[in-house]
Amino acid sequence: MARGGARPGAGRKKKAVTTEDWKGPDLPEGKSLRPLDFWLAILRDPNAPLDLRMLAAKEAMPFMHAKPAPAREDGQTDLANAPGAGDDWTHDLDPRNAAGGVH
């Protein structure tokens, strides 16, 4: 009885060879692009490979969605809850009142 050695069908499968002819996203000529513009061009290109589009979404996400601010533990609140935050500032912001000084 033989033991060990190679068995048919055993082991990691070989990677499939892709023959996609995608040459990259359509970028405007002569214009300097920000990295976000480049990732968005890849993300919005329907001919781009799916794995590359998913990478572009991951790379562009920090520029599109801000991180929430950390919660404050020292009892201080944000400026929206500060005294006078809900006051009417239209008098102070009106340019006609700027010449008169402080109201």
Side-chain angles (χ1 to χ4, degrees):
M1 189 148 118
R3 293 181 184 224
R7 294 176 179 82
R12 184 177 293 185
K13 306 298 181 222
K14 301 226 183 238
K15 185 177 179 182
V17 177
T18 59
T19 58
E20 297 182 23
D21 294 330
W22 187 69
K23 302 293 185 205
D26 294 328
L27 299 173
E29 294 285 331
K31 180 182 176 188
S32 63
L33 295 176
R34 299 175 297 162
L36 176 61
D37 296 330
F38 177 74
W39 287 120
L40 289 177
I42 294 174
L43 181 63
R44 294 174 179 156
D45 188 353
N47 298 325
L50 182 61
D51 57 340
L52 187 59
R53 291 178 69 190
M54 291 175 62
L55 175 68
K58 179 181 159 189
E59 293 293 328
M61 184 178 56
F63 298 103
M64 302 295 289
H65 305 285
K67 288 183 180 179
R72 299 189 68 151
E73 297 176 6
D74 57 355
Q76 292 182 349
T77 59
D78 59 356
L79 293 177
N81 298 332
D87 292 349
D88 184 21
W89 287 66
T90 54
H91 181 272
D92 297 333
L93 297 177
D94 191 358
R96 292 175 290 179
N97 296 332
V102 179
H103 61 284

